[in-house]
Structures are given as structure tokens and as C-alpha cells.
């Protein structure tokens, strides 16, 4: 399912089909729906639940699972993941939002920024600082929007407009201690646990959006005429289209290769072996998407600069590129991470 492994039937009363779902089913689901040519629609449908619910499913108490998972899986309520702050994006270990224990409650203060689906979510899976500095001081806490002291403000962003990007503030929010996800100090590990799946999902989306750019540009080039002939009859236009599809198909092949590994490896092995690979794949997919959005815009010309009309999809996707190149780990952070992980593995092997 979209939250990772197939759901527990007892949590929503609906059994997966015989044989269950696997990672390739999810790849097909995401890839096909992304044909709409709108990252905003994709994020509105999947982003909150696909990253906000897994920490509860994997690490939450039975009480939390029974309270949160059924209404979210049924679509009656919404959930999102609240990690990023105005002063801490990819630098997760240095978040500042605090949760101080007072008896049977945590008192939460701080702010979260660029939170996808936050504006309409009922639940927030929040990274908070319950201990000292660094990763070991981070915990995960379930906060409900209805709790006094929680305020949400919709953020107007460059792209992915339907995604409900939100600025959230917590001011002396009183949260039951039973809402802690797992144990204190385990938050950073919980955050890292789902990163591969989150980044892989972004890869599936961005490469299909790149393909939509190609398809729209190809169709336009077949009918648009300049200097007495169709755009497709110009050698330079054919070169642009060839370069686009070459990169798209190569990225899709890599994606299917990684999907097979996600399907055949246990979660622990995935996190150990695929972190760097998926990081590079995400950087690859967003760069290909950016390239294709630019080249499609060049083929459409002025039509891609207008909101609406024949170039509407291209104009929209061009604005959405940054939403795939930065969230989930920026290209720069991910490429550095992949090489550092490889260096650590090489150093370890050299000692054997």
C-alpha cells in the first residue's frame, strides 16, 4: 500500500486482495496517477498519509494505532508528518521544537514549516526535542490539530498548490504522554526508517512527470508549424525530444531495479544497503524532470509561459520541479550522503 507494506486488515476492516500488494503495485499506482501532470494533486492524495502514518504503524503503541490508523486508512481523517522547521530542513538532528514532560503530559512549543497536507490534517506526527542536543534528543509525538495552542497557516508556494503546504506553530500545547511514538530519544531513527520509501515515491512521481513533459512536447511538435514545417521536422527539436526520452527511460529502468530490491530485501537490509542508491536515484530523477520541463517549455515557446491553454501542463510542471529537487532531501544533500555512505562501507571492508 501507499504507506509501505500492506495494511493490517484489523485496522480498517478491509483485507488486501489474495496475494497482497507489493512494491511494484505501488509503483504502478503512483506512476499511472501521475499522468495527471500535477505534483500538487499527487501530494494532496498521498503525501500526508504516506509519510505521516508509517511512524505510528511501525513504532506506535497499540492504543495509538487503533486511534489513528483506521480513520486515516478509511479516508475519514488526515495525517501529516511535521519535521521541517524554519531553521532546520535537511539538518533534521538540529530541530528546535521542544516537548517538556510535566506529569502525564508533554508541553510542546515551537514551529514547523513547509508541512505538506498540514492545513487540512487532523493529526500531526511531530519531531520534537525531549532531550539534549543532536539526534539522540529527538522523539516523535502525535499532536492533534484540535488541541489548544496549535495554529496553522496555509503557505502560498511556487508550485504543488493543492498540497496544502502549511506553517504550524505550537504554543504551550498540552499533549498526553501516551501520544509518544515509541520511546523518548528514538525519534531520529524513526524518521530515517521511512526515508527510503519517501524518496522512492518521489522518484516514481518525478519521472512520470518528466515523461508527461516529453509526451506533451512530442504531441505539440507533431502539429505546431514554424517556418513552413512542423516542429518535429526541425532537427534541433528532434534532438531535444531524443535527449528527454533517453534520460527518462534510463531513470525508469533504474527505478524498476531499485523497486525489485525493495521488494526482495527485508526492511533492515533495505535501510543498510539502499540508502545511498535511492538518494542518488532521487537526485537523478529530479534533475531529469528539471531538464525535461525546461526542454518542453522551449518547444512550446510562449505557450508554456501562460497559465492555461495548450501549454498549461508544462507551465505548471516547470513550477513544480523545485518541489521534487528539495523536499525529501535536496540534490546536494543526497549526493553527498551517498558518497559518504560508500566511503564508510569501503573503509569497513578495508579493515576485514
Amino acid at each position: 500500500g501507499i504507506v509501505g507494506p500492506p495494511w493490517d486488515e484489523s485496522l480498517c476492516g478491509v483485507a488486501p486482495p489474495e496475494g497482497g500488494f507489493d512494491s511494484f503495485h505501488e509503483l504502478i499506482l503512483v506512476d499511472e496517477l501521475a499522468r495527471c501532470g500535477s505534483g500538487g494533486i499527487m501530494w494532496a492524495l498521498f503525501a500526508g498519509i504516506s509519510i505521516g502514518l508509517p511512524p505510528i504503524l511501525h513504532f506506535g503503541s497499540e492504543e495509538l494505532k487503533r486511534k489513528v490508523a483506521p480513520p486515516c486508512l478509511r479516508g475519514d481523517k488526515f495525517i501529516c508528518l511535521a519535521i521541517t522547521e524554519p531553521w532546520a530542513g535537511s539538518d533534521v538532528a538540529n530541530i528546535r521544537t521542544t516537548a517538556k514532560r510535566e506529569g502525564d503530559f508533554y508541553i510542546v512549543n515551537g514551529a514547523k514549516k513547509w508541512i505538506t497536507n498540514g492545513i487540512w490534517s487532523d493529526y500531526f506526527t511531530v519531531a520534537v526535542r525531549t532531550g539534549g542536543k543532536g539526534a539522540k534528543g529527538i522523539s516523535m509525538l502525535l499532536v492533534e490539530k484540535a488541541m489548544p495552542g496549535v495554529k496553522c497557516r496555509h503557505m502560498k508556494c511556487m508550485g504543488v498548490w493543492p498540497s496544502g503546504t502549511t506553517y504550524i506553530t505550537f504554543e504551550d500545547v498540552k499533549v498526553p504522554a501516551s501520544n509518544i511514538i515509541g520511546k523518548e530519544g528514538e525519534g531520529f531513527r524513526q524518521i530515517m526508517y521511512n526515508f527510503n520509501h519517501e524518496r522512492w515515491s518521489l522518484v516514481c512521481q518525478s519521472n512520470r512527470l518528466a515523461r508527461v513533459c516529453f509526451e506533451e512536447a512530442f504531441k505539440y511538435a507533431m502539429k505546431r508549424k514554424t517556418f513552413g514545417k512542423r516542429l518535429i521536422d526541425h532537427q534541433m527539436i528532434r534532438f531535444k525530444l531524443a535527449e528527454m526520452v533517453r534520460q527518462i527511460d534510463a531513470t525508469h529502468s533504474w527505478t524498476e531495479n531499485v523497486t525489485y530490491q525493495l521488494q526482495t530485501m527485508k526492511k533492515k537490509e533495505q535501510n543498510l544497503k539502499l540508502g545511498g542508491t535511492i538518494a542518488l536515484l532521487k537526485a537523478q530523477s529530479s534533475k531529469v524532470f528539471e531538464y525535461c520541463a525546461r526542454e518542453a517549455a522551449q518547444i512550446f515557446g510562449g505557450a508554456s509561459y501562460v497559465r492555461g491553454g495548450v501549454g498549461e501542463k508544462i507551465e505548471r510542471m516547470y513550477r513544480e520541479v523545485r518541489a521534487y529537487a528539495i523536499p525529501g532531501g535536496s540534490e546536494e544533500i543526497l549526493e553527498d550522503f551517498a558518497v559518504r555512505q560508500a566511503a564508510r562501507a569501503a573503509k569497513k571492508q578495508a579493515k576485514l
Side-chain angles (χ1 to χ4, degrees):
I2 204 69
V3 294
W7 59 82
D8 182 343
E9 180 182 351
S10 67
L11 293 176
C12 61
V14 178
E18 186 176 352
F21 290 118
D22 61 27
S23 297
F24 280 99
H25 288 98
E26 187 177 352
L27 168 59
I28 293 168
L29 171 67
V30 175
D31 185 63
E32 290 296 324
L33 287 176
R35 288 179 183 270
C36 67
S38 170
I41 294 296
M42 297 302 296
W43 288 25
L45 289 171
F46 299 134
I49 191 170
S50 69
I51 59 178
L53 190 56
I56 293 173
L57 295 179
H58 292 303
F59 304 104
S61 65
E62 284 300 314
E63 179 187 357
L64 275 185
K65 290 178 186 177
R66 300 294 167 189
K67 176 181 180 179
V68 176
C72 288
L73 289 172
R74 290 195 305 264
D76 296 331
K77 288 185 179 293
F78 296 91
I79 189 170
C80 67
L81 183 68
I83 296 176
T84 304
E85 299 179 351
W87 37 79
S90 296
D91 189 10
V92 176
N94 284 315
I95 62 164
R96 300 182 188 177
T97 297
T98 60
K100 295 183 178 180
R101 183 73 180 261
E102 293 186 5
D104 293 332
F105 295 90
Y106 286 99
I107 307 302
V108 180
N109 284 281
K112 300 293 179 177
K113 194 174 184 180
W114 299 291
I115 305 306
T116 304
N117 291 182
I119 199 67
W120 57 68
S121 286
D122 303 282
Y123 302 115
F124 305 130
T125 302
V126 186
V128 295
R129 186 162 298 285
T130 53
K133 295 180 179 180
K136 293 182 179 180
I138 296 174
S139 303
M140 297 295 283
L141 192 65
L142 179 75
V143 179
E144 299 177 45
K145 180 182 284 184
M147 292 175 174
V150 178
K151 295 181 180 179
C152 297
R153 174 171 58 83
H154 186 220
M155 298 175 65
K156 294 183 178 180
C157 300
M158 178 191 297
V160 292
W161 295 348
S163 67
T165 307
T166 307
Y167 189 97
I168 306 171
T169 56
F170 305 105
E171 186 174 349
D172 293 329
V173 182
K174 197 174 182 180
V175 182
S178 58
N179 279 26
I180 193 78
I181 301 171
K183 298 178 181 179
E184 281 193 15
E186 294 183 348
F188 190 81
R189 182 173 69 90
Q190 295 174 19
I191 294 168
M192 296 298 111
Y193 191 80
N194 198 53
F195 256 154
N196 279 347
H197 179 263
E198 177 186 354
R199 290 165 179 166
W200 172 85
S201 177
L202 290 170
V203 167
C204 300
Q205 293 175 44
S206 60
N207 205 50
R208 169 54 70 176
L209 294 176
R211 194 177 295 276
V212 173
C213 288
F214 166 77
E215 291 171 346
E216 291 293 310
F218 188 91
K219 289 186 291 186
Y220 187 73
M222 290 291 288
K223 62 183 180 181
R224 170 69 171 172
K225 289 186 176 181
T226 62
F227 303 101
K229 57 183 179 181
R230 299 175 305 167
L231 284 177
I232 198 73
D233 295 322
H234 293 276
Q235 186 180 37
M236 178 54 73
I237 299 300
R238 295 196 300 271
F239 171 79
K240 287 179 180 292
L241 292 168
E243 280 293 289
M244 291 165 71
V245 77
R246 176 182 64 79
Q247 296 180 49
I248 293 166
D249 281 351
T251 305
H252 187 79
S253 178
W254 190 4
T255 302
E256 289 194 341
N257 178 282
V258 168
T259 303
Y260 177 78
Q261 294 178 74
L262 288 172
Q263 182 60 30
T264 54
M265 289 181 181
K266 298 293 185 181
K267 189 73 173 181
K268 185 177 181 180
E269 187 180 10
Q270 292 175 21
N271 289 341
L272 182 65
K273 296 181 178 179
L274 295 182
T277 300
I278 292 177
L280 290 177
L281 178 55
K282 181 184 177 294
Q284 162 79 3
S285 66
S286 60
K287 289 183 177 184
V288 170
F289 180 24
E290 182 164 17
Y291 178 85
C292 291
R294 182 194 185 280
E295 293 300 88
Q298 291 299 108
I299 291 172
F300 270 84
S304 68
Y305 197 65
V306 180
R307 291 180 182 174
V310 68
E312 176 185 6
K313 284 186 179 180
I314 304 304
E315 185 275 332
R316 178 173 60 245
M317 287 187 288
Y318 198 96
R319 285 185 286 103
E320 293 182 337
V321 167
R322 298 269 67 77
Y324 287 88
I326 299 173
S330 68
E331 293 169 352
E332 294 79 8
I333 290 290
L334 294 182
E335 292 184 358
D336 177 65
F337 164 72
V339 176
R340 284 190 291 108
Q341 186 181 64
R344 284 196 301 269
K347 185 177 181 179
K348 185 176 181 180
Q349 289 178 346
K351 293 180 179 179
L352 297 178

PDB file of all heavy atoms in Angstrom, residues 272-287:
ATOM      1  N   LEU A 272      20.058  -0.537   5.254  1.00  0.00           N
ATOM      2  CA  LEU A 272      21.513  -0.674   5.332  1.00  0.00           C
ATOM      3  C   LEU A 272      22.170  -0.522   3.967  1.00  0.00           C
ATOM      4  O   LEU A 272      23.223   0.121   3.836  1.00  0.00           O
ATOM      5  CB  LEU A 272      21.864  -2.042   5.934  1.00  0.00           C
ATOM      6  CG  LEU A 272      23.359  -2.338   6.123  1.00  0.00           C
ATOM      7  CD1 LEU A 272      23.951  -1.395   7.154  1.00  0.00           C
ATOM      8  CD2 LEU A 272      23.550  -3.796   6.534  1.00  0.00           C
ATOM      9  N   LYS A 273      21.539  -1.084   2.922  1.00  0.00           N
ATOM     10  CA  LYS A 273      22.187  -1.179   1.617  1.00  0.00           C
ATOM     11  C   LYS A 273      21.668  -0.202   0.561  1.00  0.00           C
ATOM     12  O   LYS A 273      22.390   0.106  -0.393  1.00  0.00           O
ATOM     13  CB  LYS A 273      22.050  -2.609   1.082  1.00  0.00           C
ATOM     14  CG  LYS A 273      22.757  -3.656   1.910  1.00  0.00           C
ATOM     15  CD  LYS A 273      22.592  -5.036   1.298  1.00  0.00           C
ATOM     16  CE  LYS A 273      23.345  -6.093   2.093  1.00  0.00           C
ATOM     17  NZ  LYS A 273      23.169  -7.445   1.504  1.00  0.00           N
ATOM     18  N   LEU A 274      20.441   0.272   0.699  1.00  0.00           N
ATOM     19  CA  LEU A 274      19.837   1.045  -0.399  1.00  0.00           C
ATOM     20  C   LEU A 274      19.766   2.550  -0.148  1.00  0.00           C
ATOM     21  O   LEU A 274      19.353   3.293  -1.035  1.00  0.00           O
ATOM     22  CB  LEU A 274      18.425   0.524  -0.689  1.00  0.00           C
ATOM     23  CG  LEU A 274      18.319  -0.909  -1.216  1.00  0.00           C
ATOM     24  CD1 LEU A 274      16.855  -1.250  -1.491  1.00  0.00           C
ATOM     25  CD2 LEU A 274      19.150  -1.081  -2.483  1.00  0.00           C
ATOM     26  N   GLY A 275      20.156   2.992   1.036  1.00  0.00           N
ATOM     27  CA  GLY A 275      20.052   4.422   1.341  1.00  0.00           C
ATOM     28  C   GLY A 275      20.772   5.299   0.326  1.00  0.00           C
ATOM     29  O   GLY A 275      20.204   6.244  -0.220  1.00  0.00           O
ATOM     30  N   GLY A 276      22.037   4.992   0.066  1.00  0.00           N
ATOM     31  CA  GLY A 276      22.822   5.784  -0.878  1.00  0.00           C
ATOM     32  C   GLY A 276      22.313   5.662  -2.298  1.00  0.00           C
ATOM     33  O   GLY A 276      22.258   6.651  -3.048  1.00  0.00           O
ATOM     34  N   THR A 277      21.909   4.450  -2.684  1.00  0.00           N
ATOM     35  CA  THR A 277      21.403   4.232  -4.039  1.00  0.00           C
ATOM     36  C   THR A 277      20.126   5.014  -4.293  1.00  0.00           C
ATOM     37  O   THR A 277      19.976   5.677  -5.332  1.00  0.00           O
ATOM     38  CB  THR A 277      21.137   2.729  -4.265  1.00  0.00           C
ATOM     39  OG1 THR A 277      22.357   2.006  -4.100  1.00  0.00           O
ATOM     40  CG2 THR A 277      20.590   2.477  -5.657  1.00  0.00           C
ATOM     41  N   ILE A 278      19.196   4.957  -3.347  1.00  0.00           N
ATOM     42  CA  ILE A 278      17.936   5.679  -3.518  1.00  0.00           C
ATOM     43  C   ILE A 278      18.161   7.186  -3.460  1.00  0.00           C
ATOM     44  O   ILE A 278      17.497   7.959  -4.154  1.00  0.00           O
ATOM     45  CB  ILE A 278      16.906   5.222  -2.464  1.00  0.00           C
ATOM     46  CG1 ILE A 278      16.514   3.768  -2.750  1.00  0.00           C
ATOM     47  CG2 ILE A 278      15.675   6.123  -2.466  1.00  0.00           C
ATOM     48  CD1 ILE A 278      15.559   3.159  -1.736  1.00  0.00           C
ATOM     49  N   ALA A 279      19.129   7.618  -2.655  1.00  0.00           N
ATOM     50  CA  ALA A 279      19.468   9.042  -2.605  1.00  0.00           C
ATOM     51  C   ALA A 279      19.934   9.527  -3.979  1.00  0.00           C
ATOM     52  O   ALA A 279      19.500  10.575  -4.472  1.00  0.00           O
ATOM     53  CB  ALA A 279      20.550   9.289  -1.557  1.00  0.00           C
ATOM     54  N   LEU A 280      20.813   8.755  -4.617  1.00  0.00           N
ATOM     55  CA  LEU A 280      21.290   9.119  -5.952  1.00  0.00           C
ATOM     56  C   LEU A 280      20.169   9.050  -6.988  1.00  0.00           C
ATOM     57  O   LEU A 280      20.087   9.884  -7.892  1.00  0.00           O
ATOM     58  CB  LEU A 280      22.436   8.206  -6.370  1.00  0.00           C
ATOM     59  CG  LEU A 280      23.763   8.382  -5.630  1.00  0.00           C
ATOM     60  CD1 LEU A 280      24.777   7.344  -6.118  1.00  0.00           C
ATOM     61  CD2 LEU A 280      24.318   9.791  -5.813  1.00  0.00           C
ATOM     62  N   LEU A 281      19.306   8.062  -6.848  1.00  0.00           N
ATOM     63  CA  LEU A 281      18.186   7.919  -7.784  1.00  0.00           C
ATOM     64  C   LEU A 281      17.229   9.098  -7.681  1.00  0.00           C
ATOM     65  O   LEU A 281      16.730   9.586  -8.695  1.00  0.00           O
ATOM     66  CB  LEU A 281      17.443   6.608  -7.507  1.00  0.00           C
ATOM     67  CG  LEU A 281      16.210   6.322  -8.365  1.00  0.00           C
ATOM     68  CD1 LEU A 281      16.535   6.366  -9.855  1.00  0.00           C
ATOM     69  CD2 LEU A 281      15.605   4.968  -7.985  1.00  0.00           C
ATOM     70  N   LYS A 282      17.000   9.569  -6.455  1.00  0.00           N
ATOM     71  CA  LYS A 282      16.124  10.742  -6.297  1.00  0.00           C
ATOM     72  C   LYS A 282      16.753  11.974  -6.947  1.00  0.00           C
ATOM     73  O   LYS A 282      16.076  12.755  -7.622  1.00  0.00           O
ATOM     74  CB  LYS A 282      15.824  11.023  -4.823  1.00  0.00           C
ATOM     75  CG  LYS A 282      14.879  12.228  -4.659  1.00  0.00           C
ATOM     76  CD  LYS A 282      14.631  12.585  -3.226  1.00  0.00           C
ATOM     77  CE  LYS A 282      13.744  13.825  -3.139  1.00  0.00           C
ATOM     78  NZ  LYS A 282      14.385  15.050  -3.660  1.00  0.00           N
ATOM     79  N   ALA A 283      18.057  12.167  -6.734  1.00  0.00           N
ATOM     80  CA  ALA A 283      18.741  13.294  -7.373  1.00  0.00           C
ATOM     81  C   ALA A 283      18.678  13.163  -8.890  1.00  0.00           C
ATOM     82  O   ALA A 283      18.453  14.151  -9.602  1.00  0.00           O
ATOM     83  CB  ALA A 283      20.191  13.361  -6.903  1.00  0.00           C
ATOM     84  N   GLN A 284      18.868  11.954  -9.392  1.00  0.00           N
ATOM     85  CA  GLN A 284      18.785  11.709 -10.834  1.00  0.00           C
ATOM     86  C   GLN A 284      17.393  12.068 -11.368  1.00  0.00           C
ATOM     87  O   GLN A 284      17.254  12.751 -12.380  1.00  0.00           O
ATOM     88  CB  GLN A 284      19.079  10.231 -11.110  1.00  0.00           C
ATOM     89  CG  GLN A 284      18.638   9.701 -12.476  1.00  0.00           C
ATOM     90  CD  GLN A 284      19.590  10.071 -13.594  1.00  0.00           C
ATOM     91  OE1 GLN A 284      20.624  10.686 -13.343  1.00  0.00           O
ATOM     92  NE2 GLN A 284      19.248   9.709 -14.814  1.00  0.00           N
ATOM     93  N   SER A 285      16.365  11.615 -10.680  1.00  0.00           N
ATOM     94  CA  SER A 285      15.003  11.811 -11.181  1.00  0.00           C
ATOM     95  C   SER A 285      14.600  13.286 -11.189  1.00  0.00           C
ATOM     96  O   SER A 285      13.947  13.745 -12.130  1.00  0.00           O
ATOM     97  CB  SER A 285      14.006  11.004 -10.351  1.00  0.00           C
ATOM     98  OG  SER A 285      13.926  11.484  -9.022  1.00  0.00           O
ATOM     99  N   SER A 286      14.991  14.036 -10.169  1.00  0.00           N
ATOM    100  CA  SER A 286      14.614  15.449 -10.147  1.00  0.00           C
ATOM    101  C   SER A 286      15.397  16.251 -11.186  1.00  0.00           C
ATOM    102  O   SER A 286      14.876  17.202 -11.778  1.00  0.00           O
ATOM    103  CB  SER A 286      14.813  16.046  -8.744  1.00  0.00           C
ATOM    104  OG  SER A 286      16.149  15.953  -8.322  1.00  0.00           O
ATOM    105  N   LYS A 287      16.646  15.853 -11.435  1.00  0.00           N
ATOM    106  CA  LYS A 287      17.427  16.538 -12.474  1.00  0.00           C
ATOM    107  C   LYS A 287      16.872  16.235 -13.868  1.00  0.00           C
ATOM    108  O   LYS A 287      16.835  17.124 -14.738  1.00  0.00           O
ATOM    109  CB  LYS A 287      18.902  16.135 -12.383  1.00  0.00           C
ATOM    110  CG  LYS A 287      19.612  16.722 -11.165  1.00  0.00           C
ATOM    111  CD  LYS A 287      21.097  16.364 -11.145  1.00  0.00           C
ATOM    112  CE  LYS A 287      21.790  17.034  -9.951  1.00  0.00           C
ATOM    113  NZ  LYS A 287      23.241  16.793  -9.940  1.00  0.00           N
TER     114      LYS A 287
END
